[in-house]
Amino acid sequence: MSAVPAFSQTLRRHQLDLARGQTSVLQVNVGLLCNQACRHCHLEAGPARPEVMDAATMEQVLAYARRGRFQMLDITGGAPELNPNLELLLEGACALLPRVILRANLTALASDQHRGLIPVLAKNKVVITGSFPSLNAQQAEAQRGPGVFERSLECLGLLNQAGYGQPGSGLELDLVVNPAGAFQAPEQAATAKRFRQALASRWGLSFNQLHVFANVPLGRFKTWLLASEGYEPYVRRLAEGFNPCALAGVMCRGLVSVAWDGYLHDCDFNQAAGLPLGGRRTHISEMEGPPPQGQPIAVGEHCYTCAAGAGFT
Amino acid sequence: MSTYYDPQDLPRFAEIGQQAPELAQKFFDYYGAVFAEGELSAREKSLIALAVAHALQCPYCIDAYTQACLDKGSNLAEMTEALHVACAIRGGAALVHGVQMRKQAQKLSL
């Protein structure tokens, strides 16, 4: 069996370039500290990680959001709730941008220490995107750790009580499903329908949208794939699913990703892979505005994840 | 490899068309249509296929439909329940023939 071709080679074979369109989304990784150590995490976030964005860098993020006239701020981690300065970023961002998203793992937010953040999020109409990989506790916890399933359900209950995911509240609660292993992401519309029915009938819970994302072969997931001799077959399946049409909608064309230390990447996956924006290490304070249209996007083997099937948003 | 079943044979399934391409094409077209979304979802059809694969004890099909079920969002609990459906029907089919056994035994017995 021949080797999987490099992603750049596949682009050339299809006579395609991967370059930036208009960049309107600023994604901020506020740190790799997390209360969980999920086995699919491309950033290898966890309780022992010291990398946390400081208040000065957050101020630089807000200043960049202002001068770059971004339309959306997408806050991710680690568990962003564990950053002690998160409220500073949230309040500042909500005053500046039409849409602010917080990617939550649904356990940090439900903890006694952080559940006080829920009214702050609601007041500012922050969109919450929560990880909820499976309706099956065993499968969810195989990915995310013991006890996570029950605590995630508890968090969804708290968010529903605060108005999130309820019709007419204007408070958006979205779920993210990642496969709990070396298999493909299921079809999104059918999965959303199934999760909506099951969450309502079994637990009386509701949400707005559900997004299905494939696992990216980087970080802890890559380590597991290599150890289980599944790396090559997994990447091969992704490569066989290469869809030239999916490239038009990949997130890196319209997003710039800021790492915890203020350095920039084309996306969160390139951050994990150590690929800097524009081919050189650039700090957020050096940027006058969004990266220019047409700027080439750094690619690697992991890019097959977003270019397979219907793509990745 | 000197066994009857080789996992590397599964990706070679299409070679079966070499001596009868038209028949193979009809079969593969039909196969694809059967597993498309319909009144049953593709996920449900994969669970049925997994159960049938166990009833037929086809190792190629077990591998293929384990992967397909996971790809389509099923979990191990659902897949195990599907397997018990196959087991119940196979077991029930054996046991229900006991009626014939009993009738025959009664006929032959004093």
Side-chain angles (χ1 to χ4, degrees):
Chain A
M1 205 173 275
S2 60
V4 177
F7 188 76
S8 53
Q9 196 181 335
T10 297
L11 289 179
R12 278 196 299 277
R13 186 164 56 84
H14 288 271
Q15 297 180 307
L16 292 166
D17 287 319
L18 187 57
R20 290 195 157 270
Q22 189 176 2
T23 300
S24 60
V25 179
L26 180 58
Q27 188 177 62
V28 185
N29 191 310
V30 295
L32 305 183
L33 179 63
C34 189
N35 59 319
Q36 297 177 190
C38 300
R39 296 177 70 198
H40 71 136
C41 183
H42 59 276
L43 286 160
E44 303 187 69
R49 296 299 299 256
E51 300 93 336
V52 174
M53 182 176 278
D54 58 24
T57 308
M58 281 187 182
E59 294 288 2
Q60 290 175 321
V61 168
L62 291 171
Y64 182 47
R66 190 180 300 112
R67 65 181 181 270
R69 298 183 180 173
F70 289 93
Q71 294 301 301
M72 186 166 100
L73 189 82
D74 179 351
I75 304 170
T76 185
E81 302 90 329
L82 270 54
N83 186 310
N85 303 307
L86 180 64
E87 282 192 49
L88 166 81
L89 182 65
L90 283 172
E91 300 271 4
C94 290
L96 278 175
L97 296 120
R99 188 172 167 88
V100 177
I101 294 178
L102 179 76
R103 298 196 187 221
N105 65 16
L106 297 182
T107 60
L109 198 52
S111 69
D112 291 341
Q113 199 183 348
H114 298 293
R115 65 176 59 188
L117 201 55
I118 294 175
V120 178
L121 296 167
K123 184 189 80 177
N124 288 294
K125 298 214 179 300
V126 174
V127 176
I128 297 177
T129 300
S131 301
F132 195 80
S134 176
L135 295 165
N136 176 270
Q138 197 177 12
Q139 198 175 43
E141 293 184 4
Q143 180 191 90
R144 309 185 72 75
V148 164
F149 189 71
E150 280 300 322
R151 280 185 283 142
S152 298
L153 291 173
E154 184 196 355
C155 187
L156 291 177
L158 290 172
L159 292 170
N160 280 175
Q161 281 170 27
Y164 271 100
Q166 305 288 5
S169 70
L171 296 174
E172 188 174 334
L173 171 60
D174 299 336
L175 299 183
V176 168
V177 169
N178 281 97
F183 34 90
Q184 291 178 341
E187 200 276 317
Q188 185 162 288
T191 305
K193 186 179 172 189
R194 195 159 56 85
F195 273 54
R196 199 177 301 286
Q197 285 171 346
L199 281 168
S201 64
R202 295 182 204 169
W203 298 290
L205 298 170
S206 59
F207 63 91
N208 295 103
Q209 298 183 67
L210 180 143
H211 308 289
V212 170
F213 296 153
N215 289 315
V216 182
L218 288 169
R220 215 172 270 135
F221 187 59
K222 181 175 181 178
T223 303
W224 174 76
L225 285 171
L226 289 168
S228 59
E229 299 182 355
Y231 182 78
E232 200 274 345
Y234 185 77
V235 175
R236 180 176 298 283
R237 283 193 84 197
L238 293 177
E240 286 169 356
F242 179 80
N243 174 10
C245 299
L247 285 185
V250 288
M251 63 174 173
C252 54
R253 298 194 66 236
L255 170 151
V256 61
S257 165
V258 190
W260 68 275
D261 56 2
Y263 284 89
L264 299 173
H265 303 267
D266 287 301
C267 70
D268 206 46
F269 307 127
N270 278 5
Q271 193 180 128
L275 298 173
L277 178 84
R280 70 170 189 92
R281 251 171 90 75
T282 307
H283 194 264
I284 193 167
S285 56
E286 299 172 52
M287 298 289 285
E288 287 181 9
Q293 286 194 44
Q295 177 172 289
I297 292 166
V299 297
E301 202 164 49
H302 59 279
C303 298
Y304 279 120
T305 316
C306 300
F312 202 118
T313 56
Chain B
M1 190 87 176
S2 58
T3 67
Y4 285 106
Y5 288 114
D6 178 354
Q8 296 309 316
D9 285 349
L10 182 57
R12 299 175 55 181
F13 191 8
E15 291 175 21
I16 208 69
Q18 285 178 3
Q19 266 63 51
E22 288 178 9
L23 289 174
Q25 193 58 50
K26 284 177 195 292
F27 172 79
F28 288 120
D29 288 346
Y30 167 78
Y31 194 101
V34 164
F35 282 95
E37 291 278 334
E39 294 296 323
L40 293 173
S41 68
R43 188 181 84 91
E44 290 163 335
K45 289 178 181 182
S46 288
L47 284 167
I48 295 170
L50 183 74
V52 174
H54 281 80
L56 295 176
Q57 296 175 337
C58 168
Y60 302 119
C61 309
I62 291 170
D63 275 4
Y65 283 95
T66 298
Q67 179 82 55
C69 285
L70 291 169
D71 285 344
K72 290 178 169 47
S74 295
N75 60 58
L76 192 55
E78 293 169 316
M79 292 156 67
T80 305
E81 282 190 19
L83 182 50
H84 278 288
V85 173
C87 177
I89 295 298
R90 281 204 76 145
L95 208 54
V96 76
H97 283 79
V99 177
Q100 185 179 346
M101 174 273 285
R102 288 175 60 80
K103 280 165 55 183
Q104 186 68 1
Q106 283 161 0
K107 189 173 154 187
L108 296 173
S109 302
L110 288 171

